[in-house]
Amino acid sequence: ETGVTQTPRHLVMGMTNKKSLKCEQHLGHNAMYWYKQSAKKPLELMFVYNFKEQTENNSVPSRFSPECPNSSHLFLHLHTLQPEDSALYLCASRTGFGTNEKLFFGSGTQLSVL
Amino acid sequence: AQSVTQPDIHITVSEGASLELRCNYSYGATPYLFWYVQSPGQGLQLLLKYFSGDTLVQGIKGFEAEFKRSQSSFNLRKPSVHWSDAAEYFCAVDAAGNKLTFGGGTRVLVKP
């Protein structure tokens, strides 16, 4: 148990649906991340938030819309997804900087787009 | 841009045997280096990290890794594998400030 909780664990959605992924941590961390883990591909960084401000958007399509209302919660809003968006979406939070940095990952949401 | 290569997609090892997972990185300077493990249905857990100093790094669960600058490598080792070590292992680099770049992963299967 890392202290980073993601819900739901599994999600099946059609291409016309709108859904949201939720990530929550009460570790006091001020940086949160979304990663995408597809089969046969390395983990891809999607978004980074520092102190609720988005500091990184790694050329993610606009059908993925992140939201960080406070330092403890991070959402990923999904709409009109494509089948190739099926993947494991991992949330992480970070403590420390430089030599003290450490990422804590959630268990992920396994997304299937039909 | 930094990159990380894990040449072995799958490795099968017998329980009690030694394990070595390869990782090569591409970056102009010495980055921060990490190894993570992902068990089925779980997120990633940090095994160990290298920032500077002693090139042999000890981690959790009996793992260690050795940084070799001349080879741009950061290989992970364990002297005696347990069945619970079956998982996927990811090498990662942080060269751009708090943004990890991951390798493709190596899936380890442990034979009884």
Side-chain angles (χ1 to χ4, degrees), chain B residues 42-71:
Chain B
Q42 300 297 315
L44 280 71
Q45 181 184 19
L46 180 67
L47 283 176
L48 48 80
K49 58 186 178 183
Y50 172 78
F51 292 141
S52 64
D54 193 346
T55 56
L56 187 63
V57 181
Q58 301 297 320
I60 63 171
K61 303 186 179 187
F63 285 92
E64 66 179 25
E66 185 172 13
F67 169 62
K68 292 186 177 180
R69 185 190 307 274
S70 61
Q71 299 176 19

Side-chain angles (χ1 to χ4, degrees), chain A residues 62-93:
Chain A
S62 60
R63 58 186 184 270
F64 295 90
S65 175
E67 179 190 3
C68 189
N70 54 62
S71 293
S72 298
H73 295 87
L74 183 66
F75 295 89
L76 188 62
H77 304 298
L78 316 170
H79 63 99
T80 59
L81 294 192
Q82 304 298 310
E84 61 264 29
D85 297 320
S86 299
L88 180 68
Y89 289 84
L90 291 167
C91 172
S93 68

Side-chain angles (χ1 to χ4, degrees), chain B residues 75-97:
Chain B
N75 294 349
L76 181 72
R77 298 194 294 253
K78 184 168 184 177
S80 178
V81 169
H82 187 260
W83 63 266
S84 60
D85 294 321
E88 189 154 19
Y89 293 79
F90 294 91
C91 182
V93 162
D94 182 356

Side-chain angles (χ1 to χ4, degrees), chain A residues 6-71:
Chain A
Q6 289 187 244
T7 54
R9 290 296 303 272
H10 301 273
L11 179 62
V12 179
M13 59 187 289
M15 290 189 286
T16 58
N17 291 160
K18 290 183 180 182
K19 297 287 184 182
S20 295
L21 310 185
K22 180 181 177 182
C23 177
E24 184 172 359
Q25 57 89 10
H26 296 287
L27 302 170
H29 299 168
N30 290 308
M32 296 184 78
Y33 301 69
W34 280 116
Y35 278 89
K36 176 182 178 182
Q37 186 176 22
S38 305
K40 302 180 182 178
K41 292 178 69 176
L43 276 82
E44 302 169 65
L45 177 65
M46 299 176 72
F47 301 103
V48 181
Y49 277 81
N50 281 285
F51 295 93
K52 301 186 297 179
E53 298 297 321
Q54 187 181 121
T55 55
E56 182 83 17
N57 177 337
N58 198 24
S59 302
V60 181
S62 60
R63 58 186 184 270
F64 295 90
S65 175
E67 179 190 3
C68 189
N70 54 62
S71 293

